[in-house]
Amino acid sequence: MADNSAARPGRRNNRHSSDERSSQHERPSRDEHPCRNKRHSRDEHPGRSRRYEAVRHYLLFAAAWTRVAWQYRASVLLLAVGQFLATGLDIAVIGVLFTRVPHLAGFGLAEVGFLFGTSCTAFAVSNMFFGTLERVGERIRDGSLDVMLVRPAGLLVQVATDGFSPRRLGGIVQGVGVLALSLAGLDVPWTPGRVLLVATMIICGVGIFSAVWIAGAAFQFAVEQAAEAMNAVTYGGSFLTQYPMSIYGRDGMRLLTFLVPLAFLNWQPALYVLGKPDPLGLPSVFRFASPLVAAVLLTLAAVAWRAGLRHYRSTGS
């Protein structure tokens, strides 16, 4: 009995040692897996993860709608050409105007073309990304917005990509073409600061117009028939920023600077690029305030969208 009891601990120790050897060859646990650690590191930044998912969903939905539209290639190409020609009519109006007058409020043809190109390019890009937001009221009335709410994707992304079509590229091509021609005709000393400001005003212009699209869509949660009023600000704002704002008088410039800050889309930066004085005599810091204005407007638009969505009570409410 004594010998048997003494042998048992030895057998037990051998079993423990074999377990230790086998544990060295075991796979790492799920918590120790490197891929899982990457997911954990992503989860530590939920805001960044949501933005990543929103961009990924937008690209997926836009690609799907593009494949659908490309089944009718002739229709897409004709619509793109039609949009290109429609924008070309606005350019033709400017050309006819300058056959009668050498300058428009102190701006030459190339300078007005610069304003037109920056405004048209920024609006066309934002229209391509967020132009379908004008149909939020229609989606509320026909009940399709409720269908989008139950899908595992952000509502803003779904509405923005609903009916996405490459036909809007016509407006972008037109705007970029006019901007390139006007830049070639401008007689200004091109410094790195001016070049950087031109790129910045395009990006900020897209942001400002996108904020207007999102805010207008949020307003339709309260007033479903507000699409016309929304278009007055988006399409009307694009038209107003295609010309020197000094033609609207001092009151008009104050309105477009402080109430509806479309002057920061291209007017204020263009005054620095073209070397023009500000008719309102505003400080020179206003020429470089476009990034701040775009960030503030996008933040306010996001808050308005969340507020509208939070108070949405489904169809018929």
Side-chain angles (χ1 to χ4, degrees), residues 166-249:
R167 63 181 174 81
R168 292 189 174 92
L169 288 173
I172 298 176
V173 172
Q174 184 77 69
V176 172
V178 174
L179 179 60
L181 291 175
S182 65
L183 290 174
L186 289 178
D187 186 17
V188 296
W190 287 107
T191 62
R194 280 189 166 92
V195 174
L196 180 61
L197 190 57
V198 171
T200 302
M201 63 194 296
I202 297 294
I203 297 172
C204 294
V206 174
I208 291 173
F209 273 128
S210 299
V212 174
W213 284 113
I214 297 172
F219 184 61
Q220 294 185 61
F221 283 111
V223 182
E224 297 176 8
Q225 303 288 345
E228 290 77 10
M230 176 181 174
N231 291 338
V233 180
T234 52
Y235 292 95
S238 174
F239 179 79
L240 290 174
T241 54
Q242 291 173 1
Y243 297 91
M245 289 192 177
S246 51
I247 67 176
Y248 307 127

Side-chain angles (χ1 to χ4, degrees), residues 59 81 118 153 164 186 223:
L59 295 176
V81 171
T118 52
F164 184 92
L186 289 178
V223 182

Side-chain angles (χ1 to χ4, degrees), residues 15 66 144 155 167 198 237 283 294 315:
R15 187 164 56 250
T66 301
S144 59
L155 181 63
R167 63 181 174 81
V198 171
T315 304

